[in-house]
Amino acid sequence: MANVDTALKDIMTSVEGTLGAAVVDYNSGMALGTAGGGRDLDLAVAAAGNTDVIRAKVRTMEHLGLTDAIEDVLITLGNQYHLLLLCTGRGKETLFLYLVLDKRNANLAMARHQLRRIEADLEI
């Protein structure tokens, strides 16, 4: 089992092309932890903004009467992938992992696989 800091370090070292990562509570919009980022990538601001994305999708699914669960959300930019993976399991229901990848250096399929592995080990 990994705590937030350990999970973020694992993401930064094991997911090729990672520019930044965060563990985010989508009820509050607050990042519980961040790694990477920089001047051009403020992870706290991005975490809060992506909280709105998750909330909107959850609300839309409720309006449509969909009972399935969201696994992840992918936002593709010109040079980056932004991946939001919703956490599952007791105590993690309102969390998501936020990953920013450099498109030129990332393997999206492997990143999704690694992120799921890290999420499964995450303990809050």
Side-chain angles (χ1 to χ4, degrees):
M1 294 295 176
N3 65 22
V4 170
D5 290 334
T6 303
L8 290 169
K9 286 177 189 171
D10 194 5
I11 291 169
M12 294 300 294
T13 58
S14 68
V15 181
E16 190 168 342
T18 299
L19 299 173
V23 177
V24 185
D25 181 334
Y26 67 81
N27 277 339
S28 68
M30 299 294 295
L32 303 180
T34 63
R39 194 189 78 207
D40 296 330
L41 179 58
D42 185 331
L43 289 168
V45 172
N50 283 304
T51 294
D52 292 335
V53 172
I54 298 297
R55 287 178 185 161
K57 187 60 188 170
V58 168
R59 206 170 34 252
T60 301
M61 288 178 62
E62 288 171 357
H63 290 300
L64 293 172
L66 299 175
T67 58
D68 210 350
I70 302 168
E71 289 183 19
D72 59 39
V73 176
L74 174 64
I75 300 168
T76 305
L77 304 179
N79 295 314
Q80 298 174 347
Y81 294 121
H82 291 238
L83 184 60
L84 304 112
L85 177 86
L86 277 78
C87 296
T88 59
R90 187 175 173 163
K92 300 189 298 184
E93 300 88 2
T94 64
L95 302 180
F96 68 92
L97 298 180
Y98 172 49
L99 177 64
V100 181
L101 297 165
D102 181 333
K103 271 175 89 170
R104 296 167 296 201
N105 301 324
N107 178 324
L108 186 56
M110 284 302 295
R112 290 179 75 209
H113 174 75
Q114 290 286 63
L115 209 54
R116 284 189 187 107
R117 177 190 57 79
I118 293 165
E119 185 277 327
D121 287 340
L122 179 63
E123 186 175 277
I124 300 296

